[in-house]
Amino acid sequence: MAIELHPLEQFTIEPLIPIHFGNVDASFTNSALFMVAAVVVASALMVLGSRRASLVPGRWQSLTEIAYEFIAGMIDENVGHEGQEYFPFIFTLFLFILLGNLLGMIPYGFTFTSHIIVTFAMAGVVFLGVTVIGIARHGFHFLSFFVPHGVPPVLLLLLVPIEVLSYFIRPFTLSIRLFANMMAGHTMLAIFAGFVTAMGIFGFVPLGVDVLLIFLEILVAVLQAYVFTILTCLYLRDAIHLH
Amino acid sequence: MPQLDLATFPPQLIWLLITFFALYAVMSWVGLPRVRGILAARKGRIDGDLEKATQMKSEAEAVIAAYEKALAEARMQAQITLRETTDRLNAEAAQRQAKVAEELARETTAAEKRIAEAKTQALGSLREVAIEVTRAAAQKLTGRDIDAQHAGAAVDQAMRERG
């Protein structure tokens, strides 16, 4: 009995509307479709949810307010009051990743956060932005971030390169964490789904596993959006307060 | 692994840029200011209500204090009035008692005078009776009529002798 599994096929980028600017391929793909869907759902949540502006919120308005206060609280706790300046960006980042992850859980859907280029682009923007903010606020003094306090000068020879390395590795760990989590989860779901038909009458076993995995993946989807956002907050705190 | 297909990078990056900025624009221009407005309005309303409640409470306390003060004053006034009335009534009673006692004394004096008059009168008529009795007795005994003058002198003498 040959089992044919193509668990990575689901990550294929398929152009839906081919668009080309000279040599540049700007086609509207399945990935782009879900990005647009994420924007539409997120906008609907925040714009329609706040439409009535009731003193006593209804269900949708409560959800809108909870999302707002969740991120506002996260920034206040992890960055401090100065962080509220960057609130719209961090809020957008959180909703965009959260909805990318969750919309990817829809069967036959596409998870754009399962592509390293997407997560790396976001992590790269966060890294560059945070570095620029740090330099703009502290100027040359920003370099003191790489020098730990209260350490013998000899050890600094060892510690400063480590600090520098751990700083520049941030965009990679940030992007790979999200991408790998999304890809691994969806691959696993596809593998078990492939077993369902292959195992014939015992197919209910991998089906049951998939049902449980779906719940786990929904949890991971929310958790990874949270992790990406809170790490962004922590990097921002480093840039603003230097330790 | 489709993730490493370099040819798919440009469209993904382009659409990521477009969609992310679209969401950023919607959030920073519409979504977030609205929610901020709602939350600020609610906070303002709650703070306003709390302030109003505090103000009302202090007002109520002032009213209670004024009421208690008025009550205490009224009590004091009532006590004063009560004392004044008691004093007045006591004085009136004493005055009336004195008047009654005086009248009583006067009546007693008058009564005593009347009694003394009656007694004198009674004593006066006793002499007449005694004279009559003497004359009657003398007539019976002697068969002679004694005139009233003689009899009167005899009675007077006898009365004097006997006190």
Side-chain angles (χ1 to χ4, degrees), chain B residues 48-64:
Chain B
D49 283 1
L50 279 179
E51 201 181 313
K52 208 188 283 173
T54 314
Q55 198 190 329
M56 279 178 169
K57 198 182 162 210
S58 65
E59 269 172 25
E61 272 166 2
V63 168
I64 287 172

Side-chain angles (χ1 to χ4, degrees), chain A residues 26-27 47 55 65 68 114, chain B residues 3 11 15 34 36 42 45:
Chain A
S27 299
V47 174
L55 201 63
E65 287 174 13
Y68 183 99
S114 69
Chain B
Q3 280 91 338
W15 283 98
R34 267 206 214 163
R36 193 176 305 130
R42 182 173 309 144
R45 174 76 180 269

Side-chain angles (χ1 to χ4, degrees), chain A residues 64-85:
Chain A
T64 305
E65 287 174 13
I66 287 168
Y68 183 99
E69 289 185 324
F70 177 64
I71 299 298
M74 189 195 277
I75 293 173
D76 250 355
E77 273 172 38
N78 295 298
V79 187
H81 197 66
E82 302 97 319
Q84 294 298 341
E85 229 179 294

Side-chain angles (χ1 to χ4, degrees), chain B residues 23-162:
Chain B
L23 187 61
Y24 183 81
V26 171
M27 288 301 128
S28 51
W29 289 335
V30 189
L32 298 178
R34 267 206 214 163
V35 179
R36 193 176 305 130
I38 292 170
L39 295 177
R42 182 173 309 144
K43 191 175 180 298
R45 174 76 180 269
I46 289 170
D47 287 354
D49 283 1
L50 279 179
E51 201 181 313
K52 208 188 283 173
T54 314
Q55 198 190 329
M56 279 178 169
K57 198 182 162 210
S58 65
E59 269 172 25
E61 272 166 2
V63 168
I64 287 172
Y67 164 76
E68 266 167 10
K69 201 178 149 207
L71 194 67
E73 259 170 26
R75 274 215 189 101
M76 212 169 67
Q77 201 64 47
Q79 227 131 36
I80 290 171
T81 309
L82 188 67
R83 204 179 310 129
E84 275 176 1
T85 311
T86 313
D87 287 354
R88 190 163 50 79
L89 288 180
N90 279 346
E92 233 168 68
Q95 205 181 350
R96 202 172 295 164
Q97 206 172 0
K99 211 162 94 187
V100 167
E102 193 189 332
E103 210 160 291
L104 218 57
R106 205 168 55 233
E107 270 174 21
T108 309
T109 314
E112 274 171 359
K113 210 165 106 188
R114 265 202 316 280
I115 290 168
E117 264 172 22
K119 195 179 164 187
T120 314
Q121 207 179 352
L123 282 178
S125 52
L126 183 68
R127 187 172 168 265
E128 304 284 313
V129 172
I131 290 169
E132 283 301 314
V133 169
T134 305
R135 280 175 75 184
Q139 191 159 25
K140 278 257 171 93
L141 289 174
T142 60
R144 259 198 321 152
D145 193 19
I146 306 171
D147 66 346
Q149 217 167 351
H150 274 103
V155 166
D156 285 343
Q157 197 187 342
M159 277 175 84
R160 264 198 303 276
E161 280 168 10
R162 307 224 168 186

Side-chain angles (χ1 to χ4, degrees), chain A residues 36-137:
Chain A
V36 170
V39 171
V40 168
V41 173
S43 303
L45 171 69
M46 296 309 290
V47 174
L48 298 184
S50 61
R51 187 186 37 173
R52 288 248 203 90
S54 328
L55 201 63
V56 179
R59 273 180 232 159
W60 282 109
Q61 196 181 319
S62 287
L63 202 59
T64 305
E65 287 174 13
I66 287 168
Y68 183 99
E69 289 185 324
F70 177 64
I71 299 298
M74 189 195 277
I75 293 173
D76 250 355
E77 273 172 38
N78 295 298
V79 187
H81 197 66
E82 302 97 319
Q84 294 298 341
E85 229 179 294
Y86 310 104
F87 177 62
F89 176 78
I90 290 170
F91 190 80
T92 307
L93 193 68
F94 174 70
L95 270 195
F96 192 71
I97 295 171
L98 179 70
L99 282 162
N101 293 352
L102 285 178
L103 291 177
M105 292 310 298
I106 297 170
Y108 297 102
F110 183 85
T111 319
F112 60 78
T113 44
S114 69
H115 274 259
I116 183 71
I117 186 65
V118 173
T119 60
F120 186 74
M122 291 190 290
V125 167
V126 167
F127 176 75
L128 285 179
V130 159
T131 307
V132 167
I133 289 165
I135 292 171
R137 279 184 177 255

